[in-house]
Amino acid sequence: MPELSRRDFLKLARDGFLYLNGALTLGGLLRFLDYNPGPAQKTAFDLGPASNYPLGSRTSLPEIPAFLIHSEKGFTALSLVCTHLGCTVASDAKGFACACHGSSYDVDGQVMHGPAVLPLRSLRIEITEDNQLILHTD
Ligand code: FES
């Protein structure tokens, strides 16, 4: 059996490394080209007739998650996604509270207690000609 010289060994190691590098790069490229982000996330939610939400009502919409408020100012909506790290906040007597790290927000979504520093995000409400409410999360 012929003995492998140091030079031959290094050449083999280099070639092997180059082939492996090429294969990994090609695999990554194929994965990139085959990337499918899936269906777009829904950003508009039909909430039904506005008459379902009387003046003074505060309605939790956990499937969105959002909170719909009907006041003298009209309809407003807040995202229930905590602005700290994205947990879902729950409504309580003072406003909204996040169970993850203890942030709390007042009834208008303003921060009362951190670690969150930003208020809950306001969501856009559209009232159609036939008085249906559409909540937009984009
Ligand atoms: S995610 Fe709500 S306080 Fe951290």
Side-chain angles (χ1 to χ4, degrees):
M1 181 171 176
E3 211 168 287
L4 194 62
S5 70
R6 181 169 185 243
R7 176 176 292 212
D8 290 340
F9 172 77
L10 290 174
K11 189 176 175 196
L12 269 176
R14 182 199 65 199
D15 290 350
F17 176 76
L18 288 175
Y19 285 125
L20 178 66
N21 192 19
L24 290 174
T25 301
L26 185 62
L29 181 64
L30 290 175
R31 273 188 54 188
F32 173 76
L33 293 175
D34 195 37
Y35 177 69
N36 180 3
Q41 199 166 10
K42 187 176 177 184
T43 58
F45 298 86
D46 185 351
L47 303 181
S51 58
N52 286 353
Y53 308 95
L55 186 65
S57 66
R58 299 175 55 82
T59 309
S60 182
L61 306 164
E63 68 279 1
I64 296 177
F67 203 79
L68 180 69
I69 302 160
H70 187 188
S71 68
E72 295 80 22
K73 295 182 219 163
F75 287 99
T76 55
L78 294 171
S79 168
L80 290 180
V81 176
C82 182
T83 58
H84 178 227
L85 290 178
C87 290
T88 301
V89 301
S91 63
D92 64 12
K94 296 178 186 165
F96 304 93
C98 182
C100 288
H101 309 105
S103 290
S104 59
Y105 304 84
D106 67 12
V107 292
D108 296 320
Q110 297 300 315
V111 175
M112 292 194 310
H113 186 265
V117 293
L118 296 174
L120 293 176
R121 194 165 65 92
S122 290
L123 302 175
R124 186 167 58 90
I125 296 283
E126 172 190 352
I127 303 175
T128 63
E129 288 179 4
D130 57 347
N131 238 14
Q132 302 285 310
L133 294 183
I134 310 291
L135 177 81
H136 296 273
T137 58
D138 54 355

